[in-house]
Amino acid sequence: MCPALKSPPKMTLGLTEACPLQCRYCYSDCGSEPKPGELDIAEWKRFIDEVVDDGVIQFYIEGGEPLLKPGLLDLLAYCARDAMTMLRSHGTLIDGAMADALKKTGLGRIFIDLMGATAETHDGCAGVPGSFEAACNGISHCVASGIPVDVLVILTRQIVPELNALLQLAAALGADRVGVLRLYPLGRAKKLWPEIALSLDEQMAAIRSLRPPPGLAVMQSWHPMDKNCCWQAAAVDAFGRAIGCMYLREYVDFGSIGTSRYLDIWRGHPLYRNLRSGRVERGCPDCSSSQGTTGGCRSTAFAFHGRWTAPDPFDETLNDGIDLLALPERILRS
């Protein structure tokens, strides 16, 4: 069982599905322009007032590319009045002036994605020449402005040969940490899955091969640190849908924040309550003892098994022979 909360402590806001990049495995299938129906900043501010009143103490803001959202700096400052505020970006739009402006909002930490340790690999994934150099410059500008930086990398077949070089690069640019994230079967990634995905053995070998330089922390969510974090997860997409977690975006819709208070959704939606309960068929003892929750990620469990209570196949103790290189037809049709 997971810890029981009466209200969500953390909230992820997916502000927009607009992005200047054309990432080959984009989870949201973003375009260069905002999509119809995206919430505006005034609507987001009203929502922030509501959830702060209900106990939210941390905001994690992402996209798409949130820096394309008109009014972003104002929104960050609005969040930072009452909560730890963090931002995920591709970094390509961050020059020195933007980094200074972000710092002035009270931003607590920024997460910047790299898709390789070289321009060839990163730009090949991002689909835009020059994006690697721009992202690296963005990291450097944030460090110079005093914003703590995490570099994020999604573990794909293309990045594995460059993982340790990416750790070295992140340290050289001044990042505090690197987060190595699993690949999710969402958006464009589903169509490219046979080309970019890794078997569980290959993933574990890549994780175990990591050699971070002194002073650089590495975070990852594979065994024995495979958390079931649904117990505290809260998220809203660009259109105001309560989805619990951004990695559940294609699998759930708990309701609209335009018609219901988030706290009422949190407490009232039966599937949301069930996911937060941590009631699963089987958990990994090693992960449960280190993470305080059991069963691993609910998004990947549901994607591969079609059951919310299923074990997480990305955990080597719980995999049960699931081939992570082959997506179920049910997922490919969605």
Side-chain angles (χ1 to χ4, degrees):
M1 299 292 287
C2 292
L5 296 173
K6 294 183 179 179
S7 62
K10 304 176 183 179
M11 179 72 66
T12 298
L13 309 180
L15 291 191
T16 183
E17 293 190 359
C19 183
L21 303 184
Q22 301 167 15
C23 299
R24 299 180 66 228
Y25 46 82
C26 176
Y27 292 157
S28 291
D29 197 15
C30 292
S32 59
E33 299 293 330
K35 295 179 181 177
E38 292 187 2
L39 302 185
D40 62 28
I41 292 298
E43 291 172 304
W44 282 117
K45 282 185 174 181
R46 287 194 291 271
F47 176 68
I48 287 161
D49 286 340
E50 171 197 311
V51 295
V52 166
D53 284 346
D54 288 335
V56 167
I57 59 173
Q58 176 181 295
F59 290 106
Y60 182 87
I61 294 173
E62 61 169 86
E65 174 49 69
L67 285 166
L68 285 183
K69 188 74 173 179
L72 172 69
L73 294 175
D74 185 31
L75 186 70
L76 291 175
Y78 201 79
C79 292
R81 300 173 312 160
D82 300 301
M84 173 63 175
T85 301
M86 301 181 290
L87 178 71
R88 183 175 181 178
S89 168
H90 289 306
T92 59
L93 304 178
I94 302 176
D95 57 13
M98 176 56 73
D100 289 343
L102 289 169
K103 175 66 175 177
K104 288 177 183 177
T105 67
L107 184 68
R109 181 170 288 273
I110 191 165
F111 298 77
I112 296 180
D113 285 80
L114 290 180
M115 289 165 268
T118 64
E120 180 181 6
T121 303
H122 177 100
D123 291 359
C125 291
V128 176
S131 58
F132 175 72
E133 180 180 4
C136 289
N137 289 339
I139 293 168
S140 297
H141 289 309
C142 288
V143 170
S145 294
I147 305 172
V149 177
D150 281 29
V151 168
L152 300 182
V153 57
I154 297 173
L155 188 59
T156 65
R157 185 165 300 282
Q158 289 69 34
I159 188 58
V160 165
E162 299 180 12
L163 268 180
N164 279 302
L166 188 141
L167 298 184
Q168 295 290 335
L169 173 63
L173 292 172
D176 297 327
R177 299 183 297 193
V178 170
V180 183
L181 310 180
R182 69 177 73 188
L183 178 68
Y184 284 88
L186 297 167
R188 296 177 199 155
K190 293 184 294 188
K191 299 176 183 178
L192 292 176
W193 198 261
E195 176 186 340
I196 61 178
L198 296 159
S199 70
L200 183 57
D201 286 345
E202 289 171 323
Q203 292 177 52
M204 295 306 302
I207 292 297
R208 288 167 178 151
S209 73
L210 295 175
R211 299 293 182 267
L216 183 75
V218 175
M219 59 178 182
Q220 50 88 10
S221 62
W222 282 267
H223 181 96
M225 294 177 283
D226 185 14
K227 294 187 289 187
N228 177 352
C229 50
C230 278
W231 66 277
Q232 61 179 335
V236 177
D237 71 10
F239 314 100
R241 295 187 310 135
I243 52 176
C245 170
M246 295 304 288
Y247 297 124
L248 292 173
R249 68 187 77 191
E250 291 187 11
Y251 307 136
V252 303
D253 182 350
F254 297 136
S256 169
I257 64 169
T259 56
S260 300
R261 193 175 185 91
Y262 198 96
L263 189 58
D264 292 336
I265 297 171
W266 167 274
R267 293 176 175 174
H269 196 286
L271 176 58
Y272 202 173
R273 291 203 315 270
N274 184 58
L275 290 179
R276 294 202 317 276
S277 74
R279 289 189 289 268
V280 295
E281 296 164 20
R282 189 160 59 89
C284 166
D286 292 339
C287 297
S288 300
S289 63
S290 68
Q291 303 303 300
T293 61
T294 188
C297 175
R298 296 298 84 208
S299 174
T300 47
F302 181 77
F304 281 88
H305 289 285
R307 305 189 310 279
W308 291 114
T309 57
D312 179 4
F314 278 65
D315 188 296
E316 61 183 350
T317 302
L318 305 177
N319 176 263
D320 293 338
I322 296 294
D323 181 5
L324 297 184
L325 296 176
L327 290 180
E329 284 296 322
R330 165 180 51 84
I331 294 297
L332 296 174
R333 291 193 299 267
S334 63

